[in-house]
Amino acid sequence: MAEGGFDVPLKCSPEEYKHFVEPAMREAQNSNFPSALDIVENGLNAHPASEGLMFLKAYFGYKIADTMSSELSSFPKVIQPLGNGALMVDGAMTSQLLGKFQEIVGILSEAEESINELLQVNPNSQEVVAFKGYIDSKKNQLGRESENMKATISNTPNIAGSFCVGCRKSISYDTQKVVFRKSSASQLEAWHLPCFQSKAKN
Ligand SMILES: [Zn+2]
């Protein structure tokens, strides 16, 4: 269901349906999920116990998160090979990417809250349980990716030191573009990108 169309029967009053579900679905048909979510949240302010609206809140939150995470694949690569075993890591981009991950995880957590509320009233609903599964696995996947990235960044100074081999000045791994290269002694050396490039020219 999370992949294809929406075919879950919603528990809603005719009034909730007319004023909130229908307009929200129209937005969703144009892939305008943030507007759809707004409409549903307004509806929940007026009808906090509406199970149909709770489900839609989680569903649209999931769709927003899903869209955002597919947009991340068009993000410039944070790690690029430069040839001869050298790797360029874009620290600023990595930090930005981590910020995006966090934003998406936040949206998924809100969707999950809504699903948990629904589960309390419908502990045996297969749709609700299945949908909670979708949200959880997406959240876990993003969490793993960002943990890996964070670990790489925070480990780097331990492995490669905090100073550029070229200019001997300090390196800021979470804001600068840094080149890593294996030195002869099976150690990793780190360079500011401009220092590495000017050395390569000489
Ligand atoms: Zn340098």
Side-chain angles (χ1 to χ4, degrees):
M1 181 220 70
E3 310 303 328
F6 189 87
D7 56 2
V8 176
L10 292 170
K11 280 194 209 164
C12 279
S13 71
E15 196 213 334
E16 288 160 13
Y17 204 86
K18 180 165 170 248
H19 289 114
F20 303 106
V21 175
E22 276 179 353
M25 287 300 193
R26 272 197 297 276
E27 295 295 334
Q29 266 159 16
N30 299 319
S31 300
N32 202 350
F33 299 112
S35 302
L37 183 60
D38 273 352
I39 295 171
V40 166
E41 282 178 336
N42 285 338
L44 276 171
N45 284 336
H47 308 271
S50 166
E51 294 179 25
L53 292 177
M54 275 185 226
F55 193 90
L56 281 183
K57 181 181 171 182
Y59 177 70
F60 292 140
Y62 177 87
K63 293 301 276 183
I64 292 171
D66 195 40
T67 309
M68 284 174 76
S69 62
S70 7
E71 282 166 5
L72 288 186
S73 58
S74 64
F75 229 64
K77 283 225 172 73
V78 295
I79 300 178
Q80 283 168 27
L82 298 181
N84 293 328
L87 280 182
M88 198 271 286
V89 176
D90 188 329
M93 200 62 82
T94 307
S95 305
Q96 219 180 315
L97 200 58
L98 283 173
K100 280 272 176 209
F101 276 145
Q102 241 160 21
E103 204 181 319
I104 300 174
V105 168
I107 292 170
L108 287 173
S109 302
E110 278 194 35
E112 197 174 28
E113 262 174 47
S114 206
I115 276 294
N116 285 339
E117 264 182 73
L118 266 182
L119 263 186
Q120 287 181 348
V121 234
N122 301 288
N124 299 318
S125 159
Q126 285 187 352
E127 283 96 357
V128 177
V129 171
F131 196 55
K132 186 177 160 61
Y134 279 121
I135 294 178
D136 282 346
S137 69
K138 186 115 202 146
K139 233 175 91 177
N140 291 339
Q141 177 210 335
L142 288 168
R144 268 197 309 273
E145 282 179 41
S146 65
E147 283 312 314
N148 285 344
M149 223 180 268
K150 268 188 234 165
T152 309
I153 289 199
S154 57
N155 271 335
T156 315
N158 301 333
I159 304 168
S162 331
F163 295 95
C164 169
V165 174
C167 69
R168 303 273 158 199
K169 289 183 184 145
S170 68
I171 292 179
S172 161
Y173 286 103
D174 49 4
T175 60
Q176 294 178 315
K177 289 185 178 173
V178 184
V179 176
F180 295 105
R181 198 178 57 171
K182 230 177 174 184
S183 64
S184 49
S186 80
Q187 270 195 322
L188 201 61
E189 54 184 37
W191 300 70
H192 295 115
L193 177 64
C195 299
F196 186 79
Q197 283 167 335
S198 68
K199 181 226 151 222
K201 271 183 218 141
N202 296 333

